[in-house]
Structure formats: C-alpha cells, structure tokens
Amino acid sequence: MQTRRILRLALPPARRLWVAIAFGALSGACAVALLGVSAWLITRAAEQPALMYISMAVVGVRAFALGRAFFRYLERLAGHNAAFGRLGTIRSDLFARLVPLGPDGIGAPRDDGGRRADSARGGELLARLADDVDELPDLSLRVVQPLVSGGIVVLASVVAAFLFLPSAGIALLVTLAVAFVVGTLVNRWAAGTSERRVAPLRAEVSAAVNDLVTNLDVLIAFDGLGAAAERIRSASARLTAAMRTRAAGLGLTAGAVSLLAGAASLLALAGGIPALQDGRIDGPVLAVIVLLPLAVFEVFGTLPLAFGAWRRVRASAERIADTVPAAVPAGVPVDTPDAAALEVEGVPDLRVRLSSAHWPGSSSPVLRDVALDLRAGERVVLTGATGAGKTALAHVLARFLDLDGSYAIDGTDVRTVRQDDVRRVVGLVEQHPYLFDSDLRQNLLFARDTATDDELLAVLDRVGLGEWSRSRGGLDTPVGERGALVSGGQAQRIALARALLADFPVLVVDEPTANVDSAVADRIVSDILRTAADDGRTVLLISHTDVPDHLVTRRLRLEAGTLAA
C-alpha cells in the first residue's frame, strides 16, 4: 500500500497529464499522417496530374511536418513540467514522514549502548531520497504518456488502414499485437533483471562514496584508503554492467520491433498488390498502406519499453517505501489527533514512572522500572557503565523514545500534548553534537534565528568560548564539515551555547566529556553546572567524569537499565 501511495504521488494531476497526452497523440498522429500523405503525394505526382489535384497534399505535408515538431515540443514541455513539478511534493511528503521517526526511528535498531547499526548509512538514505525519487517522473513520462498517447495513435492508424484496405488493417493489427508481445518479452528477458538491479547498485555506489568521503582521515590513518577505493570500483563496475545489460535489452527490443515493422509492410504489400490488380485501390493508396506501418511502428516502439520503465519506477518506489514505513515503528512517540499545546511557566518538575522502554525494532528493553523525579532547579548527575541505558533515558526525556509507563511535566502527561512542545521544554545536548559546515554564527542561529550578534557573543562568553572565537575571527569563524576545524571540547561548548540560546528550562547533557582530555572535561562539566545554577534551570548531566559535590544537588546511577537505590 505504501508503494502504491508513492506511485500515486508521482503522477501529475489528471488535468495536466491529459494535456501532455493530448500533445503526444497529436505529435504521433502528425508523424503517421506525414509519411502517409508524403507517400500519396510522391506516387500521385508521378502520374503528372494538374497541380490543383495535389496542392492540398503539398500543404498537408508542410503542415504535418511542422505539427510533428511543434506538438512534440509542447508534449515534452507540458509532460516534463508536470512530472518534475511532483518532485517537490514527493520529497516534502517523504521528509514530513521521516521527521516524526527521527532520530531513533530511522534506519536500523540500536544496541543497548545507543549506537546505531551500520545498515542505514547516510549514502544509502541519500540515494533513496535523491536518485530513487528522481526515477519517479518516468512513471508519467515513460510509462503512462507513451502507453496512452501511443495507444491512441496506433488504434487510429489501424482504423485508417482498415478503411483503405481491410486486409491491410488486419495485417497491421496482427503484427502490432505480435510486436507488443515479442517486444515486451524480449525486453523482460534481456533487461528485466538488470533494470531491477540498477537502483540498489546505484545506492551501493553512493554509500561507498559517502563512506570514503566522510571517513577519509581514518582510512588514510589506518591504510584503508585502497580497500575503500576498491569497494567503489567494484560497485561501479557492477552498476556499469547492469546498465550495459539494460541498454542491450533496449537495443534488442528496438530491433525486434523494427523487424516486425518490416514484416507489416511486406504483409500490406502482399495484400495490396492483388487489390491493385482488381481495381479496389489505386497506386497512391497502395503506397500509403505499404509505408504506413513504418510510421505506426515508430510511434509504437515506445510501448514495449514502457514496461521496462515501469519496472525501474516500481523498484525505486519500493525502496523509498522501505525507507519510510507505512506506520510509525513501536517505540517512537507521535502526536495524537487531539494533542494540545504544552503550557509551562518557569522551570517545571518532571516525573517519570517507567516500566520499560525499547529501541525501535528491538525486542529487549533497554530500560526497566525507572522512577525519576527532577525538581525545578536541580542539578543531577547520572552515571553508569557503558550500555546501562543512560542515552536511552536521555532520549525518553526528550521524547525521541517512547516508554511504557507515565511521564509528566508539571503534572501534564506528555502523551496528551504536542511532542515538539515537550522538546521546547526539555533540550538534549547529545554526546556527539552535530555542527554544520558553516561559520560559528550560523551554527548558533540554528537555535534562535532572531538572536543578534551581541547576544551570540554573550552566550559564547558564558560557555568559555569568547576569547577563542575573537582570536579566530569572531562569529565568522568556520567550524568545518561536522566540526572538523574545532576540537571535541569546543564542539561540546558550541552545542551548550545553542542550548542556552534555545533557553530550555530543562537541559539533558549526554556525555559532554567523552571526546576530550580530563582537564578540559573538568572545565566543561563545571561550566555546564555553574551556568545552569546561574539561570535556575534543571540539568541532568550524564557523565563519567567526577563532579564536585558543591556543583550538584543529587547523584543517580543506572545499572543494567534500572536506577540503583
């Protein structure tokens, strides 16, 4: 059902689609009429009649020649405009369906330590949302339009041939039917498998290139660059072979159709000569019925290929459907139809009574029997071994992960309110904060786009980056792709500055010291807790670093998914 929905999205509105089909039918009709009238004109002119008897045919040849190109241009313009106009709608719909799944509902399930499995790599997702979506316009351009407009022209041509000579019309109809069956079967035999393999192989190439580019430093350091490049070459070779096979299949299909076009002309000639001898038709009509199949088969040639295009489009739609499930996976919180706005004054109290929580797609609970109360203004440190479920608890609080049990903010059940409202109250600074490949200003404005430069500089001073930023060029300081130009500690401070700009009343900070040395770690932890104390906000700090007692109000420990007494 999800695949069908994506295919329906790919089709332009009927009004715009029928305009393109009409222009396509007119272009095909002009092509057939051009050859037919030309054949009649040349043969009739050989009889040297008065010019007045062939002047209409001369005008017709000019009109059909111009009409063929004119209507073909309008068909391409209307068809591509309608088809490509759907790409924005398709992508926006896909992103709208992906947003409620993020971050925990996209891709493979996580393990108990919160690490995402590697099967849902960025290159694979990018290929599905870019290359596979780009295949969808072919549904109207190479499937629906050729089948409908070509079918109209073919049927009209068969009727015209039948009116000239019934046996010629029947012969044309039979050869067209045989050509349709043979062409479809040849195309399926020669190119069917390769057409279904192109989309996955293209995604494999994208994933390999993405892995090489994003992990270039690690690959060079550990002498893995050659293996990564070989993986790209191997995937590219398989993709090239599949595309060559597909091209060969298209060539064989065109060859089979051309042979049958010649057979149709020979059959028309075989039936037309006796009719000419009997006086049922004259010489110009014989020329028309003999040459007419060549023009008809030129229009008809796209019909068998439409089924190959259908296989490619359907394969892409199925891959997109696999990326965006029809239903939100269990464990991912979503808004209910009657979700209300969450109204909170000041810093709220949080109360969690959790019986279990699971990563989406995982059957084993990552959290069990957790009772947590966070009172306004508390500074709580949460510790625990790797894999104990600390990240899962942080995601539960930020409503990235659902729970079995209750979770209330100032007495309001979070399931009854909009999830985005919960995330405006409870902010999460993750263990590996994402920094955009831009300057420091844009990475901060991401949190509050109305902030002035003075406000941005003030928040940098609060997190201890004021002097550093001024020495590097101020707010225009580049941070590089994924923060490549800043250290781990600086990245954590930039993420904290964003959280302060967003003004979350409750802040959950997940392992801010995981990628820095002990001296920097102590300063980061102290800065986070002192800043929270100054603002009166609540902080849940997940950390392995020792924290001085005077900076915290309470300590908790998570063991095997359960809070220790």
Side-chain angles (χ1 to χ4, degrees):
M1 293 300 293
Q2 182 74 350
T3 302
R4 292 180 183 177
R5 183 182 180 281
I6 293 171
L7 292 173
R8 284 196 299 270
L9 274 177
L11 275 179
R15 177 179 58 84
R16 301 185 67 183
L17 184 59
W18 276 107
V19 169
I21 289 173
F23 285 138
L26 288 172
S27 176
C30 286
V32 174
L34 174 62
L35 186 58
V37 174
S38 299
W40 187 91
L41 174 62
I42 293 172
T43 310
R44 187 74 178 90
E47 298 174 354
Q48 299 182 347
L51 183 61
M52 60 179 295
Y53 292 112
I54 60 174
S55 59
M56 186 65 73
V58 172
V59 173
V61 168
R62 293 175 178 174
F64 291 133
L66 292 174
R68 177 185 182 183
F70 178 69
F71 289 122
R72 180 61 170 166
Y73 174 77
L74 292 180
E75 183 263 340
R76 287 293 184 94
L77 183 64
H80 284 76
N81 185 42
F84 292 150
R86 301 300 296 169
L87 290 179
T89 301
I90 295 169
R91 287 200 173 98
S92 62
D93 178 80
L94 291 178
F95 280 115
R97 288 175 169 267
L98 283 173
V99 165
L101 304 181
D104 294 328
I106 298 177
R110 298 168 178 246
D111 62 20
D112 289 344
R115 296 182 297 275
R116 186 175 302 283
D118 192 47
S119 60
R121 291 183 295 265
E124 173 76 10
L125 184 59
L126 179 63
R128 295 190 182 197
L129 295 183
D131 296 338
D132 286 331
V133 171
D134 286 342
E135 286 282 352
L136 296 182
D138 282 353
L139 177 61
S140 62
L141 295 175
R142 301 182 186 277
V143 180
V144 177
Q145 286 177 217
L147 285 175
V148 178
S149 61
I152 292 172
V153 173
V154 166
L155 289 177
S157 301
V158 169
V159 171
F162 188 85
L163 293 177
F164 283 124
L165 184 66
S167 61
I170 295 173
L172 180 59
L173 179 62
V174 171
T175 52
L176 285 170
V178 173
F180 184 78
V181 174
V182 171
T184 302
L185 292 177
V186 169
N187 182 262
R188 183 175 181 179
W189 166 73
T193 302
S194 61
E195 284 169 339
R196 287 188 292 270
R197 292 178 60 223
V198 165
L201 287 173
R202 188 172 52 222
E204 186 178 341
V205 172
S206 297
V209 172
N210 183 73
D211 285 347
L212 174 63
V213 172
T214 56
N215 302 303
L216 186 59
D217 51 350
V218 177
L219 292 171
I220 293 175
F222 289 90
D223 196 24
L225 190 59
E230 179 59 32
R231 181 183 167 212
I232 295 176
R233 284 192 292 269
S234 176
S236 179
R238 291 194 297 273
L239 175 61
T240 301
M243 296 188 72
R244 284 176 176 169
T245 303
R246 184 178 72 178
L250 297 178
L252 288 174
T253 303
V257 171
S258 297
L259 286 175
L260 288 167
S265 294
L266 291 176
L267 289 174
L269 182 62
I273 291 176
L276 177 65
Q277 293 172 343
D278 295 343
R280 286 177 288 163
I281 60 173
D282 55 15
V285 172
L286 176 63
V288 170
I289 63 175
V290 171
L291 295 180
L292 185 66
L294 299 180
V296 174
F297 270 84
E298 180 182 350
V299 177
F300 169 83
T302 58
L303 270 65
L305 301 180
F307 288 91
W310 164 249
R311 286 191 294 270
R312 295 196 304 273
V313 169
R314 184 172 179 82
S316 293
E318 288 172 348
R319 285 171 48 78
I320 296 171
D322 290 340
T323 303
V324 185
V328 176
V332 178
V334 293
D335 289 336
T336 59
D338 56 347
L342 175 62
E343 297 180 0
V344 173
E345 294 183 2
V347 180
D349 294 333
L350 273 60
R351 179 183 174 87
V352 178
R353 295 295 180 268
L354 178 152
S355 59
S356 67
H358 303 72
W359 292 119
S362 175
S363 58
S364 58
V366 67
L367 293 172
R368 293 178 294 275
D369 300 327
V370 173
L372 175 63
D373 291 302
L374 293 178
R375 292 179 289 275
E378 278 197 307
R379 299 181 301 281
V380 179
V381 174
L382 177 65
T383 61
T386 300
K390 302 186 299 298
T391 296
L393 182 58
H395 282 225
V396 166
L397 294 175
R399 292 301 285 160
F400 293 149
L401 195 64
D402 207 356
L403 74 159
D404 297 324
S406 64
Y407 174 16
I409 298 177
D410 267 352
T412 301
D413 189 346
V414 296
R415 289 194 177 94
T416 65
V417 298
R418 293 192 292 263
Q419 305 308 308
D420 284 346
D421 288 353
V422 176
R423 296 178 190 120
R424 292 188 184 98
V425 174
V426 182
L428 174 62
V429 179
E430 292 201 282
Q431 180 176 346
H432 302 285
Y434 188 91
L435 297 182
F436 297 94
D437 188 9
S438 183
D439 55 30
L440 193 55
R441 177 185 290 104
Q442 294 303 319
N443 273 278
L444 294 176
L445 288 176
F446 171 71
R448 177 152 57 94
D449 56 8
T450 59
T452 64
D453 283 0
D454 290 338
E455 290 173 324
L456 299 181
L457 291 172
V459 78
L460 288 174
D461 283 329
R462 292 179 62 189
V463 299
L465 289 179
E467 288 297 329
W468 171 82
S469 64
R470 282 187 284 272
S471 68
R472 295 284 296 272
L475 295 174
D476 295 324
T477 301
V479 301
E481 184 178 1
R482 296 178 180 268
L485 301 180
V486 299
S487 67
Q490 289 160 352
Q492 289 292 345
R493 291 173 186 268
I494 293 171
L496 177 60
R498 286 199 299 214
L500 295 177
L501 278 171
D503 198 23
F504 297 115
V506 180
L507 189 58
V508 181
V509 185
D510 186 8
E511 297 287 5
T513 61
N515 303 305
V516 298
D517 58 51
S518 59
V520 176
D522 291 339
R523 291 199 300 270
I524 291 176
V525 169
S526 297
D527 288 343
I528 291 173
L529 295 176
R530 286 197 180 100
T531 302
D534 293 341
D535 295 344
R537 72 182 76 234
T538 303
V539 171
L540 176 65
L541 177 65
I542 301 173
S543 177
H544 287 102
T545 303
D546 291 333
V547 181
D549 291 337
H550 70 276
L551 293 177
V552 301
T553 57
R554 190 153 46 106
R555 298 177 185 272
L556 299 172
R557 182 170 180 79
L558 200 61
E559 295 180 356
T562 303
L563 281 177

